[in-house]
Amino acid sequence: GFEIVPIAEAPALKAAARATDAYVKGLGEFRRRKFERAKRFFMEAIEADPNFANARYQLALVHHYCRDHETAVRLLEEVRTAEPDFERLPFLESYIGWSRFELGEDEAAITAFERSLAGKEIPGSLLGLGLAFERAGRPAEARERLLRYVAIAPDDGRVNKAQDALERLAGSGP
């Protein structure tokens, strides 16, 4: 049946509905790769509900894809801190890893990719970890992760990055 909501709770329900509506619109724009429009909707959702972790996560992804990696890392780390059991934590860690990698922070990227892989074997995290190990001068670890990536994701659109790295590593000796 129906439940009568006390008038005092109505503003909170309106804010939740506004946040959800903005979030869903943001997801649509994100899927169409209209990142500036998606950003506005995710920010509107967060304004309506400052604790909306999924909206903050999606906003971080917008910043990641717009190559604003510092903001992406900050937002992702805020979600991780506020929601240690966040449902997409392995993917969140993977995005932190890729943003750290793009910032040239190889050791921080390695740490994030390892945290990601501890939660789930995500092919992109294996690739990122292998590339970060390669750039950090750790060829044996790089080779191991890149070979695993190629084995589990041979049709992935980024497999050429792994193959190129493996060729470089083959020329560098053990």
Side-chain angles (χ1 to χ4, degrees):
F2 292 95
E3 180 181 339
I4 297 176
V5 176
I7 195 72
E9 293 180 25
L13 292 174
K14 285 174 72 174
R18 199 169 64 251
T20 301
D21 183 58
Y23 175 72
V24 169
K25 288 176 181 174
L27 287 176
E29 297 300 331
F30 183 84
R31 288 187 184 111
R32 287 188 283 283
R33 303 189 74 73
K34 304 287 186 192
F35 294 129
E36 286 305 313
R37 290 174 54 97
K39 184 192 297 186
R40 284 195 299 275
F41 284 119
F42 294 136
M43 289 172 62
E44 184 181 322
I46 294 165
E47 183 179 312
D49 179 358
N51 298 317
F52 198 161
N54 281 315
R56 196 170 297 278
Y57 172 79
Q58 289 298 143
L59 179 60
L61 298 191
V62 167
H63 284 280
H64 173 81
Y65 286 111
C66 290
R67 305 192 57 76
D68 180 2
H69 297 293
E70 289 176 359
T71 302
V73 168
R74 180 181 52 78
L75 291 169
L76 290 165
E77 288 179 344
E78 286 175 8
V79 172
R80 182 179 61 206
T81 299
E83 300 283 337
D85 297 322
F86 186 64
E87 62 194 324
R88 297 185 205 142
L89 194 58
F91 295 96
L92 180 148
E93 293 292 357
S94 187
Y95 280 107
I96 289 174
W98 279 110
S99 284
R100 293 277 189 205
F101 182 81
E102 291 298 327
L103 291 167
E105 300 171 1
D106 295 331
E107 291 304 320
I110 288 167
T111 298
F113 287 130
E114 287 176 334
R115 282 194 306 252
S116 170
L117 291 164
K120 180 178 174 92
E121 189 174 51
I122 299 170
S125 293
L126 278 169
L127 173 62
L129 184 58
L131 295 175
F133 276 142
E134 178 196 20
R135 203 162 67 184
R138 296 162 66 177
E141 293 164 293
R143 228 179 258 108
E144 178 186 340
R145 287 359 178 266
L146 293 168
L147 287 170
R148 176 70 185 147
Y149 165 75
V150 171
I152 67 167
D155 298 323
D156 188 81
R158 299 173 293 178
V159 76
N160 61 323
K161 288 183 179 190
Q163 291 168 333
D164 291 347
L166 287 165
E167 287 178 20
R168 288 190 300 273
L169 290 165
S172 69

